[in-house]
Amino acid sequence: EVQLVESGGVLVEPGGSLRLSCAASGFTFSNAWMSWVRQAPGKGLEWVGRIKSKTDGGTTDYAAPVKGRFTISRDDSKNTLYLQMNSLKTEDTAVYYCTTGGRGGVGTSLADWGQGTLVTVSS
Amino acid sequence: DIQMTQSPSSLSASVGDRVTITCRASQGISNYLAWYQQKPGKAPKLLIYAASTLQSGVPSRFSGSGSGTDFTLTISSLQPEDVATYYCQKYISAPFTFGPGAKVDIK
């Protein structure tokens, strides 16, 4: 059974930094393309970005609102996905979900989701 | 970037009713369209991918259709457990934009 467990969400001040983690199990993490999706309170879903598997280049893509501030990385030895968030803004306040998928143009899109972790950006 | 719209934004229907939600892409996306269901306080769940393929374990009362720019999610007989918000998402290429959502509840 696929399990994705996010952690690291806290209250942080505007301009601050935070790193979220997503521990994965139940599938071959090193082969998986992975994504982050967020949801502001009472709002819809917003795709944040994705990272390819290392065998497919390990490169990343980001949504425009976070490009240049957020960085997705992975540690295949620990089966863990990361989201480094810098220069945080109040509008980054959201529940952040880790998901499998994000390959694009093939497959199921975002098949499996974690339970989410809440990031609050406020002074 | 390709924009996604959905209609209606909310609807109320009776148990047993047929419910239809539409999703439109601003440019053609072939059949790279997924539908997700999100119940209050829960993570989203993949229902349908490739516009019409039911994800494993999803009840057969859910179906999807469409290609190009216009897509439809249909619930053939609405059940109380289907109360949720439904999102479409395009995944032909990044960014993988979601529609704004359609909230379904019971009349």
Side-chain angles (χ1 to χ4, degrees):
Chain A
E1 179 195 2
V2 172
Q3 280 207 310
L4 300 169
V5 179
E6 302 95 336
S7 61
V10 293
L11 171 64
V12 61
E13 292 189 346
S17 296
L18 194 61
R19 189 178 80 160
L20 305 183
S21 300
C22 171
S25 61
F27 63 103
T28 305
F29 180 76
S30 60
N31 291 345
W33 293 35
M34 299 292 294
S35 292
W36 288 95
V37 174
R38 69 183 180 181
Q39 186 170 37
K43 302 297 185 183
L45 302 173
E46 180 181 25
W47 179 79
V48 172
R50 64 121 183 245
I51 186 166
K52 300 177 183 178
S53 65
K54 288 234 170 41
T55 55
D56 289 314
T59 56
T60 51
D61 290 281
Y62 300 94
V66 308
K67 196 169 186 179
R69 300 188 299 122
F70 288 13
T71 302
I72 298 173
S73 62
R74 63 192 301 156
D75 185 336
D76 291 344
S77 69
K78 295 182 178 179
N79 287 352
T80 301
L81 179 72
Y82 300 102
L83 179 64
Q84 177 68 43
M85 302 185 292
N86 298 331
S87 303
L88 282 161
K89 306 175 181 180
T90 55
E91 52 264 41
D92 295 320
T93 294
V95 173
Y96 284 75
Y97 295 102
C98 163
T99 81
T100 58
R103 184 178 283 263
V106 67
T108 61
S109 192
L110 310 179
D112 304 288
W113 296 62
Q115 85 288 350
T117 188
L118 176 63
V119 173
T120 303
V121 184
S122 175
S123 54
Chain B
D1 289 347
I2 297 173
Q3 304 304 312
M4 306 299 293
T5 57
Q6 289 182 237
S7 62
S9 57
S10 65
L11 65 91
S12 289
S14 300
V15 172
D17 281 356
R18 183 181 184 88
V19 167
T20 298
I21 298 167
T22 62
C23 174
R24 178 164 289 174
S26 60
Q27 299 174 38
I29 58 171
S30 184
N31 68 333
Y32 297 111
L33 191 283
W35 289 97
Y36 300 86
Q37 175 193 63
Q38 186 178 33
K39 296 183 179 181
K42 300 293 188 182
K45 171 188 171 184
L46 176 66
L47 291 179
I48 288 169
Y49 62 94
S52 61
T53 303
L54 214 60
Q55 175 72 335
S56 175
V58 173
S60 59
R61 62 180 180 275
F62 290 93
S63 64
S65 65
S67 183
T69 60
D70 294 311
F71 303 87
T72 299
L73 172 69
T74 300
I75 308 173
S76 60
S77 177
L78 186 67
Q79 300 301 304
E81 60 267 32
D82 300 335
V83 169
T85 301
Y86 295 84
Y87 296 92
C88 63
Q89 183 211 24
K90 68 96 169 170
Y91 63 101
I92 188 169
S93 60
F96 301 124
T97 310
F98 289 89
K103 188 174 182 180
V104 174
D105 61 28
I106 301 291
K107 195 181 295 183

